Amino acid sequence: MNCYIHVPFCAAKCGYCAFYSEAGAGDELIDAYLDRLEQELYFAFGICETVYVGGGTPTFLDCTRLERLCELIYRRLQIDGNTELSIEANPETLTAEKVALLRRYFTRISVGVQSFDAESRKRIGRRCPQEKLLDALELVRAAKFPHWNCDLIYSLPEQTAAMWEQDLRTAAALGVDHISCYALTPEENSRLGATFDEDDERETEFYQLAEEVLSEYGIHRYEISNYARSGGECRHNLNVWRGGLLQGYGPAAAGFDGFYRQIEVESLTKWLKGTAPERDEIPLSERLNEIFAVNLRTTAGWNAAAWKQVKFCDSWEDRLKIAGKLQKSFPEYLQISSGSIKLSPEGLLFWNTIAQEMIYGD
Ligand code: SF4
């Protein structure tokens, strides 16, 4: 079982962000959230292979409340020595005390750097001063988490290839074992969304540069936006991409029971009142195609044994047929053998098109 807990609070909204979060919430609201979360976690079941605490900004909570959240997780969820416990952190909210606290409870920390260039961060509405960023990274490095990730964004306004390369090298030199690199794609309902023009060519150039530079440090792409040293891959994400079972807690959190996806309401007020989650009901064949397409984002793709682990899966032969049919339209993008189906490096760049065709094509 995999668990996701959404902490819907941020100091302020970043210019590109459309994730659900409440900006600048007070202690009373955060306490109400923790009270409700405690009740919700009574329903948790199964041993957790992974727990992922994301947001929002989980580290927006002060030390007392953050400790309450950590204790809740350990008290209500079934965690054993094998459980991967990840938490997202924003550098401007990290203090020595918080980092020491998180180190006691989590095996993995993901720090939202986005760019090491202060001007670039400012342009997308990130607020962390340079000195604070460097101090926070030093605290995390010194705490020696078993695994740590640095989130970067590329294709930023006025960012050159040389600046992007510098960001990649700085992140790799920190000693992280995981780097996530996302192209800036402001959502329509974000502040930057209305003003932003995407540049596909520049995005592709920066995407390719990421693999080129990070591989020099032994950090390799294992999913379209994710790079890791061997053994540093995020198990939570790998499980979710492979259609693993997921329990989601907190407003806007998604869950998956092997057939239905459930999305909690995107409103803290409604969630606190107990509004039921929405259920995404689609036919089984469409669900299987969706799971199959999502994991094609990984460089490893599928093999017969991994597909057999998917709840309600059809046969591997069926998958070979579906992939084979698709390969007729996209011969360069799919690599198929009797035991494996994956996208070629070029195919990963066209994952969206392939996924659309797989899920909605005839
Ligand atoms: S990008 Fe992260 S920190 Fe910024 S508003 Fe969104 S969730 Fe909050």
Side-chain angles (χ1 to χ4, degrees), residues 1 15 80 83 99 101 106 114 118 138 147 156 167 174-176 180 189 242 246 248 283 287 293 306 310-311 328 342:
M1 179 56 69
D80 65 18
T83 306
V99 172
L101 169 71
F106 290 90
Q114 318 313 354
E138 179 51 27
H147 301 286
L156 300 171
D167 271 351
L174 287 171
V176 296
S180 298
N189 53 344
R242 284 190 204 122
L246 178 67
R287 176 69 74 216
V310 175
K311 219 171 164 186
K328 290 199 177 106
K342 61 182 183 178

Side-chain angles (χ1 to χ4, degrees), residues 90-94 113 115-119 121-122 126-137:
N90 263 4
E92 65 266 34
T93 58
L94 283 178
V113 172
S115 171
F116 290 93
D117 179 66
E119 284 307 308
R121 287 201 306 278
K122 226 185 263 170
R126 299 286 295 191
R127 295 157 302 278
C128 191
Q130 192 69 359
E131 209 181 313
K132 177 73 196 161
L133 171 67
L134 300 179
D135 286 351
L137 290 171

Side-chain angles (χ1 to χ4, degrees), residues 9-10 12-14 16-19 21 55-57 90 114 126-127:
F9 305 106
C10 291
K13 283 309 272 186
C14 301
Y16 56 92
C17 178
F19 290 124
S21 66
T57 306
N90 263 4
Q114 318 313 354
R126 299 286 295 191
R127 295 157 302 278

Side-chain angles (χ1 to χ4, degrees), residues 339-350:
S340 146
I341 303 169
K342 61 182 183 178
L343 297 189
S344 65
E346 208 193 347
L348 289 173
L349 277 165
F350 293 91

Side-chain angles (χ1 to χ4, degrees), residues 300-304 316 320 335-342:
W302 288 101
N303 60 48
W316 179 246
L320 284 170
Q335 296 179 337
I336 304 174
S337 69
S338 59
S340 146
I341 303 169
K342 61 182 183 178

Side-chain angles (χ1 to χ4, degrees), residues 1-48:
M1 179 56 69
N2 305 283
C3 261
Y4 174 76
I5 296 176
H6 190 76
V7 183
F9 305 106
C10 291
K13 283 309 272 186
C14 301
Y16 56 92
C17 178
F19 290 124
Y20 174 66
S21 66
E22 298 284 334
D27 293 345
E28 213 175 300
L29 199 53
I30 296 174
D31 287 337
Y33 162 80
L34 290 169
D35 290 344
R36 173 89 190 137
L37 185 67
E38 182 162 9
Q39 291 167 7
E40 289 281 305
L41 289 179
Y42 270 114
F43 300 105
F45 58 90
I47 293 179
C48 293

Side-chain angles (χ1 to χ4, degrees), residues 306-349:
W307 181 248
K308 254 192 210 153
Q309 299 296 315
V310 175
K311 219 171 164 186
F312 309 116
C313 68
D314 48 17
S315 72
W316 179 246
E317 285 64 36
D318 287 339
R319 289 294 123 190
L320 284 170
K321 263 188 228 152
I322 290 170
K325 199 170 153 205
L326 211 57
Q327 198 183 34
K328 290 199 177 106
S329 315
F330 306 103
E332 319 260 286
Y333 300 162
L334 278 126
Q335 296 179 337
I336 304 174
S337 69
S338 59
S340 146
I341 303 169
K342 61 182 183 178
L343 297 189
S344 65
E346 208 193 347
L348 289 173
L349 277 165

